Every structure is written in structure tokens, then in C-alpha cells.
């Protein structure tokens, strides 16, 4: 229970399905969120526990986020948090305390397919709230033990149920930023985390000519247009970052389009791994609609994804997730673009 309306209604729905529930909050968010979760648990008459995972979260999520930015990537810490904390740690806690299942407020669905003997992850019914993209890291064992009560609901329906139950967080706004960087200033956060000011470096054009100075590579991301402080007489974008040379390269929007990508840290979700070429709709960002592509598993277990048409701003460090209809097939971390 995060303290938000989604997990609160998820708890309510599990109770209505006849489950004997305990609310659990991981303490790496603000204290106010913990109290909001406790208030809902009290209102529902369920026991409530907190797990202090502050140090583990700092080591595994925040440090990983900072290190990835320093390596020139654009990481998605929510995916790591989901995989390592909201599911792995909570399922370990559930097993230790003899709880049968773990329910969360994510918008996604699961089902068991007897023919393949596999659990499957599917998009939520509400495509505007679907969170399957950030859940691709779930394993078969985890999928067997999780429940997503909101998978068939829309966000307005969730808020309506919260209002009917008198939850004080019924109209609480959705979180739009990374929880540990609420102001969205990644560069300032990384400098504070490391205790040093990021080294400035050169801004280059497509030909490698120096056209300016950047204020630290972490302040730039692929596809960025605003805040570049370079007068070019035309729209220009960040098209590449080189951590070894500490350079940021700017260019035309056409330079952001790529035909293929390679990906690491692969998780086959709803289907077994296959060496056969796989046709799918592939998303390279949370909000993206997806693009038709062919997926190849390479001998080292990594993926190569070849798009029918070039895709814009596929970014190393972000997730690439493949779908067949609503079914999540496989996901991975983008390693490089071609």
C-alpha cells in the first residue's frame, strides 16, 4: 500500500473477494504516504505493517539510477523498483509470513494458460492507465502469486470506489515524477548524491564540431530539445551522449530515428524463449503506441529488434517490451541503437 488511491482500492477489492488481508508499506517514500496507507488500512479493519527498506532502496535503485546516467544511459528506476522491491521483496515477506498472494494497485492483468503451462501478463483494460510496460520483469513464479484487482477497471471507476468508501486519498493526484526526485531535476540530484559538481564538457554537432559547452551530461537525454542553450537557427535535439569523452551531440530530428536496436537483461514473460523470429508490436517508451517489428534472440541471450519503420528516440537504458495483442511477450533493457 503506497498511500495512493490505486493500492487502497486494490485492498478493498481483495477484501470483497473474501481474502483476509494485511496492508504492507515499504518505507522509502515520504512519511505522509505511510500514514495515508495506515489510515486506509485502519478504515478497512486490516492489520498494517511497514518494512524499512531505505538502505536497500538507496543501494539498489538510486545508486543504479545514478550509475546508469553516468554511463550515458537514461534508466527507468520504476522498473527496477517493481522487480526488486514491489514484487521480489514483498513476495519474500509474504512467504515468510504465510500469505497466499500479493495484491498491488497496478493496472495490468494476469491469467494462466493451461496449454503452455505458463502464467501470462496482459495489458489492463484501461489502455490509458496500463502499466504492463513496467512489469515485464515479473517471473513465472511471481506471476503465479500476484493479483492485480484493478486490471479490469478505469481510473475514474477506481476514484469513484474510493469516494464511496470515504477514503481520504480518493482525489489524490497521480505521481508524475520519480519518487526520489520529485522536482524532476536529475542533474542536481546526481550532484547532491555524489557530493560533487558534474564536470562540464563539449557540445558537438553531427560532424563533431564543438558548438557549445554542456553543464553535466546527466542534465541531457536523447530527444531533448529545450534547455540546450545553443543557437543553431533551426530545431536541434540531443542525438547522442558519450560518457568516455564527456560530450553531448546535437543534430536534426531525423538523426533520432533508428531501424534496429539491441537489448540486454531479457525476460521472456508470457511465452517460452524462442530462437525463431518473432513478429510483435514493440514499445520503446511507456507512453509510446508501439511499432511493428521482428525480434531475434541472439546466441548470447540478448535480443535484436528490427523495426518495419524507423522509430524515434529509442534510448539506451530504457525498456523495450513486445506485445501480441494484449499479451506481454518479452521485455529487456535497450543496450544500443543501430
Amino acid at each position: 500500500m503506497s498511500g495512493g488511491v490505486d493500492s487502497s482500492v486494490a485492498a478493498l477489492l481483495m477484501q470483497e473477494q473474501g481474502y483476509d488481508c494485511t496492508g504492507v508499506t515499504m518505507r522509502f517514500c515520504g512519511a505522509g504516504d505511510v500514514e495515508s496507507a495506515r489510515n486506509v488500512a485502519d478504515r478497512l479493519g486490516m492489520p498494517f505493517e511497514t518494512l524499512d527498506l531505505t538502505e536497500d532502496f538507496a543501494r539498489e535503485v538510486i545508486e543504479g539510477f545514478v550509475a546508469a546516467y553516468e554511463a550515458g544511459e537514461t534508466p527507468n528506476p520504476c522498473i527496477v523498483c517493481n522487480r526488486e522491491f514491489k514484487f521480489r521483496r514483498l513476495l519474500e515477506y509474504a512467504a515468510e509470513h504465510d500469505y497466499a498472494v500479493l495484491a498491488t494497485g497496478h493496472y495490468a492483468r494476469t491469467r494462466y494458460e493451461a496449454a503452455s503451462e505458463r502464467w501470462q501478463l496482459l495489458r489492463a483494460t484501461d489502455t490509458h492507465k496500463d502499466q504492463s510496460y513496467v512489469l515485464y520483469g515479473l517471473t513465472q513464479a511471481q506471476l503465479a502469486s500476484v493479483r492485480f484487482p484493478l486490471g479490469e477497471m478505469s481510473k475514474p471507476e477506481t476514484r469513484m470506489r474510493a469516494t464511496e468508501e470515504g477514503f481520504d486519498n480518493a482525489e489524490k493526484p497521480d505521481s508524475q515524477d520519480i519518487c526520489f526526485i520529485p522536482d524532476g531535476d536529475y542533474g542536481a540530484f546526481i550532484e547532491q548524491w555524489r557530493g560533487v559538481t558534474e564536470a562540464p564538457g563539449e557540445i558537438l554537432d553531427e560532424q563533431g564540431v564543438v558548438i557549445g559547452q554542456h553543464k553535466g551530461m546527466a542534465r541531457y537525454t536523447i530527444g531533448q530539445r529545450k534547455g540546450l542553450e545553443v543557437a543553431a537557427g533551426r530545431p536541434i535535439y540531443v542525438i547522442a551522449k558519450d560518457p568516455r569523452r564527456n560530450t553531448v551531440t546535437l543534430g536534426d530530428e531525423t538523426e533520432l530515428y533508428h531501424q534496429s536496436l539491441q537489448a540486454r537483461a531479457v525476460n521472456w514473460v508470457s511465452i517460452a524463449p524462442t530462437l525463431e523470429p518473432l513478429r510483435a508490436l514493440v514499445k520503446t517508451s511507456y507512453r509510446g503506441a508501439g511499432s511493428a517489428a521482428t525480434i531475434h534472440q541472439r546466441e548470447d541471450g540478448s535480443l535484436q529488434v528490427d523495426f518495419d519503420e524507423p522509430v524515434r528516440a529509442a534510448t539506451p537504458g530504457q525498456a523495450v517490451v513486445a506485445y501480441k495483442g494484449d499479451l506481454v511477450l518479452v521485455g529487456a533493457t535497450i543496450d544500443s541503437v543501430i
Side-chain angles (χ1 to χ4, degrees), residues 9 12 16 43-44 160-168:
V9 174
L12 167 67
E16 291 181 345
R43 188 173 185 87
L44 293 175
M160 184 179 300
R161 284 306 313 270
T163 299
E164 292 171 351
E165 294 298 320
F167 292 166
D168 59 9

Side-chain angles (χ1 to χ4, degrees), residues 4-5 8-9 155 158-164 166-173:
V5 65
S8 298
V9 174
K155 189 58 177 261
T158 300
R159 291 198 184 279
M160 184 179 300
R161 284 306 313 270
T163 299
E164 292 171 351
F167 292 166
D168 59 9
N169 59 11
E171 297 302 323
K172 185 176 181 179

Side-chain angles (χ1 to χ4, degrees), residues 268-308:
W268 291 88
V269 188
S270 301
I271 64 172
T274 177
L275 295 176
E276 296 297 320
L278 182 67
R279 291 290 296 171
L281 185 76
V282 176
K283 293 179 63 171
T284 58
S285 66
Y286 179 72
R287 296 296 180 191
S291 302
T294 302
I295 300 170
H296 306 270
Q297 179 167 269
R298 306 171 71 190
E299 291 184 0
D300 61 1
S302 65
L303 298 182
Q304 177 160 325
V305 181
D306 298 322
F307 294 95
D308 291 5

